[in-house]
């Protein structure tokens, strides 16, 4: 299973959106160089308030570009970086990957998928009504989160638009993604 990086984004300051870059550097065990969410322990404000010593399982946020077309058909204009993701992809089913999947990106970078992004109310501040489009319920009443996946950096490297993303599934039983 493979796809393509369509955009990369980072921000050194807390902000909902992240500006697009020509490239980002991933640092093993930390995240995106210069990004406010990089670090060994949690950096997301609500998680820091709960327990600042928690390991950072949200070092790199990836989102599938196909989501932008889906919400665009419902009248919501969303572009790469708008939802705070670091890497925007096309052609790979990020939400269908199991926990522990390795994502090989470009020449050197390797990410390990840790779980789903849990969309928050800030999405409605960005675009009123968008939260209901990126989180909902399936026919069985289970919560469905579509706002991307979270990962940690196993091997560093530079990531640029146009790079290939290849998924390497974990051995053994696969565990579906849950929020992290």
């Amino acid at each position: 299973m493979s796809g393509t990086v369509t955009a990369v984004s980072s921000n050194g300051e807390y902000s909902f959106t992240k500006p697009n870059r020509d490239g980002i550097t991933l640092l093993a065990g930390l995240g995106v160089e210069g990004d406010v969410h990089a670090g060994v322990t949690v950096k997301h404000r609500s998680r820091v308030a709960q327990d600042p010593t928690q390991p950072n399982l949200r070092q790199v946020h990836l989102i599938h570009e196909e989501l932008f077309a889906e919400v665009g058909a419902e009248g919501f204009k969303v572009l790469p970086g708008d939802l705070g993701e670091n890497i925007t992809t096309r052609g790979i089913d990020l939400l269908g990957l199991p926990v522990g999947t390795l994502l090989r990106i470009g020449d050197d970078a390797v990410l390990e998928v840790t779980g789903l992004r849990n969309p928050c109310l800030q999405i409605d501040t960005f675009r009123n009504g968008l939260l209901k489009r990126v989180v909902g319920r399936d026919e069985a009443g289970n919560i469905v989160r579509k706002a991307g996946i979270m990962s940690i950096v196993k091997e560093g490297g530079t990531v640029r638009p146009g790079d290939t993303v290849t998924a390497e599934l974990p051995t053994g039983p696969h565990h579906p993604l849950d929020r992290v």
Side-chain angles (χ1 to χ4, degrees), residues 33-115:
E33 182 177 47
D35 191 81
V36 70
H37 291 107
V40 174
T41 56
V42 294
K43 301 301 177 197
H44 195 271
R45 288 177 174 168
S46 66
R47 308 226 172 207
V48 169
Q50 291 172 358
D51 178 3
T53 66
Q54 294 176 73
N56 188 2
L57 301 178
R58 301 165 54 102
Q59 293 174 357
V60 181
H61 176 199
L62 297 93
I63 202 163
H64 52 295
E65 186 177 73
E66 292 85 353
L67 178 64
F68 303 156
E70 181 183 325
V71 298
E74 298 179 33
F76 295 93
K77 182 180 179 183
V78 180
L79 300 172
D82 281 353
L83 298 181
E85 75 276 8
N86 300 110
I87 300 174
T88 309
T89 66
R90 181 182 336 114
I92 186 167
D93 180 13
L94 297 175
L95 301 178
L97 298 172
V99 172
T101 298
L102 297 180
L103 296 174
R104 298 187 181 281
I105 307 175
D107 294 333
D108 303 309
V110 179
L111 300 176
E112 181 180 335
V113 176
T114 57

Side-chain angles (χ1 to χ4, degrees), residues 98-163:
V99 172
T101 298
L102 297 180
L103 296 174
R104 298 187 181 281
I105 307 175
D107 294 333
D108 303 309
V110 179
L111 300 176
E112 181 180 335
V113 176
T114 57
L116 294 169
R117 175 190 184 186
N118 192 31
C120 65
L121 290 174
Q122 287 182 321
I123 290 177
D124 272 349
T125 302
F126 171 70
R127 297 274 189 274
N128 189 34
L130 183 58
L131 181 60
K132 288 184 180 181
R133 303 304 185 270
V134 298
V135 66
R137 295 197 179 268
D138 64 15
E139 301 80 33
N142 300 310
I143 295 175
V144 176
R145 293 173 178 86
K146 298 190 277 186
I149 64 172
M150 306 308 286
S151 63
I152 58 173
V153 181
K154 298 301 278 184
E155 296 178 28
T158 301
V159 177
R160 294 182 182 85
D163 282 350

